[in-house]
Amino acid sequence: QVQFVESGGGLVQPGGSLRLSCAASGSTSSINAFGWYRQAPGKQRELVSTITNGGMTHYLESVKGRFTISRDDAGNAAYLQMNNLKFEDTAVYYCNARIGYRWGDYWGQGTRVTVSS
């Protein structure tokens, strides 16, 4: 099983930037992709971005051009650079990983991003 610790969230004004970090531990050698999810107050968790071991990336349409996902060469950390943040980006952000075709069932505590003026 893989465990995740997210960090880097905080309070930021609209238009500001944050860089989120995800430290993965456990069976990280089995990971073939990382993903960032977010859950806004009163909303379901949604997939924000993914990156495969081969470097293929996907983004939620609403964050394209603003967010950039990356991973380290060791394969045990992922990052989400968030620029031009908007009110609707306010959420708790979670990291997850894919092993085979299956995304993890266990979630970390997440890191809270609040965009407010």
Side-chain angles (χ1 to χ4, degrees), residues 33-101:
F34 279 97
W36 282 97
Y37 293 73
R38 68 185 181 187
Q39 186 168 23
K43 306 291 185 180
Q44 293 187 5
R45 183 155 40 210
E46 66 178 349
L47 180 63
V48 177
S49 182
T50 61
I51 183 168
T52 69
N53 286 2
M56 294 179 57
T57 59
H58 290 86
Y59 295 92
L60 184 68
E61 186 67 28
S62 62
V63 309
K64 285 182 178 178
R66 300 189 297 118
F67 291 9
T68 303
I69 190 172
S70 61
R71 63 190 297 274
D72 68 359
D73 292 336
N76 57 8
Y79 308 92
L80 188 68
Q81 178 66 45
M82 306 186 297
N83 298 326
N84 192 24
L85 284 160
K86 304 178 182 298
F87 292 119
E88 53 264 39
D89 296 319
T90 295
V92 177
Y93 284 73
Y94 300 89
C95 182
N96 209 332
R98 188 178 69 194
I99 299 174
Y101 296 94

